[in-house]
Amino acid sequence: MPKDKKELIECLSQMNEDTRFVAGGTDVLPSLEGGLKKFTYIDITHVSDMDAIKVTEDKVIVGATATFSDIARNQFIRTYAQALSMAASQIGSVQIRNRATIGGNVANASPAADSLPALALLNSEVEILGPNGQSKMISVLDVIEDVGVSALRPYEVIWAFHIPIRPHVRSAFVKIGSRKRVTISRLNLAISAKFSGEGLSDVNVCLGTLGPRPLLIANIDRDFKDISTKDFPIDFFLNLLTNVVDLAIPNRPSRAYKRTAVRGLGIDVLDVLFGRRCML
């Protein structure tokens, strides 16, 4: 059980296809009960500074073993990465949030991972640590190769997430599942926009659960001039979301449900972003 970064690097040099790192373990236990392949697990919950949440002049850095409870209540996240704070607060139960880590949520590469659309929307980069102590940075979307398959090699581990601070940008996250609480997302949605008084620019959205990785749609405001919260083209926005669903899952049985559900989520996320009830 490594206690600091140096010991973690030593562990990395000894990793192979049959070993895995574990932190919260909230996804490991169900997989064991499901009869999936068993690995030798190395606990990294006690690695110093790996759970730290820090702010620099231009970014927020979230350690890979930070729990979702840590993230949901952190003031830096609430201030500079609201969508991630909202996503973290809606993951599982209180007990799950107290144990589940952001690094594990991303490394598991689940299409329903709630942290992924928020992180992608916020242009987050992943700091990956290798066996010689070297780090590399890649975008969070590039970590996901396929359903349940990450780009991490057996001798690599996520060390932290780097989230740029963008002045005057607000973001929000909403989700829908089979029940109101303690639910796995059937569809989730994050949005961000730069505010200047009532004026809006740089409006981006990111949808999850429609494929192996979230779908990021940037600058949807490019066809509008002097857009504001009062005259935001809600119908255009909802149609755009519906078209994304149609293109992403044209032949999937859930398409009819999701193309309707995404319109409701679209209204919900605008309500949160604008701080008022939006009506068509």
Side-chain angles (χ1 to χ4, degrees):
M1 185 186 300
K3 298 293 194 299
D4 55 30
K5 194 172 187 178
K6 181 180 178 182
E7 291 184 7
L8 178 61
I9 291 168
E10 291 175 1
C11 286
L12 286 170
S13 65
Q14 301 170 35
M15 298 291 284
N16 57 50
E17 296 287 347
D18 295 318
T19 56
R20 293 288 188 275
F21 288 118
V22 65
T26 54
D27 284 328
V28 171
L29 293 177
S31 71
L32 293 177
E33 292 174 356
L36 298 180
K37 180 180 177 180
K38 294 178 174 59
F39 298 97
T40 298
Y41 290 99
I42 299 173
D43 186 355
I44 57 174
T45 53
H46 299 288
V47 176
S48 59
D49 293 329
M50 201 173 181
D51 63 347
I53 301 175
K54 302 177 285 190
V55 64
T56 68
E57 185 177 335
D58 60 354
K59 60 187 170 182
V60 178
I61 302 173
V62 183
T65 60
T67 67
F68 286 113
S69 289
D70 295 334
I71 292 166
R73 60 175 172 249
N74 185 271
Q75 192 58 48
F76 298 141
I77 304 295
R78 288 182 177 182
T79 301
Y80 301 115
Q82 300 95 334
L84 181 58
S85 177
M86 293 175 194
S89 69
Q90 297 178 53
I91 288 174
S93 62
V94 172
Q95 295 89 337
I96 291 294
R97 291 194 293 274
N98 285 342
R99 289 194 59 86
T101 65
I102 189 169
N105 196 240
V106 171
N108 284 333
S110 167
D114 287 326
S115 67
L116 280 170
L119 287 167
L121 177 84
L122 297 167
N123 296 327
S124 305
E125 287 193 308
V126 185
E127 181 181 354
I128 297 174
L129 188 63
N132 296 318
Q134 77 279 14
S135 292
K136 65 181 180 181
M137 304 285 285
I138 64 174
S139 76
V140 70
L141 289 177
D142 288 338
V143 174
I144 311 303
E145 291 189 340
D146 206 341
V147 175
V149 180
S150 79
L152 294 171
R153 304 285 74 93
Y155 48 82
E156 294 178 330
V157 67
I158 296 175
W159 176 257
F161 297 87
H162 295 244
I163 305 170
I165 292 175
R166 295 183 289 170
H168 311 298
V169 170
R170 298 182 212 161
S171 61
F173 171 91
V174 292
K175 66 185 280 189
I176 189 170
S178 56
R179 53 194 178 193
K180 288 190 175 181
R181 300 195 180 276
V182 196
T183 186
I184 295 174
S185 287
R186 296 184 69 181
L187 193 63
N188 51 33
L189 171 64
I191 187 171
S192 67
K194 186 174 182 178
F195 282 71
S196 177
E198 284 292 318
L200 292 178
S201 62
D202 194 21
V203 182
N204 305 305
V205 296
C206 193
L207 289 93
T209 79
L210 295 175
R213 64 177 74 184
L215 298 175
L216 180 64
I217 303 98
N219 299 117
I220 66 171
D221 57 306
R222 59 183 171 268
D223 295 325
F224 299 93
K225 244 186 173 182
D226 302 321
I227 189 173
S228 70
T229 60
K230 292 180 180 179
D231 58 14
F232 186 84
I234 296 176
D235 196 50
F236 168 85
F237 175 67
L238 299 183
N239 288 337
L240 181 148
L241 297 179
T242 304
N243 289 338
V244 172
V245 171
D246 286 342
L247 291 172
I249 52 172
N251 302 311
R252 199 182 297 176
S254 61
R255 173 175 167 265
Y257 162 78
K258 290 193 174 183
R259 73 191 312 271
T260 300
V262 78
R263 298 180 74 87
L265 281 184
I267 291 289
D268 290 344
V269 83
L270 291 178
D271 288 350
V272 178
L273 188 70
F274 296 163
R276 61 175 173 80
R277 183 63 181 160
C278 294
M279 304 291 291
L280 276 174

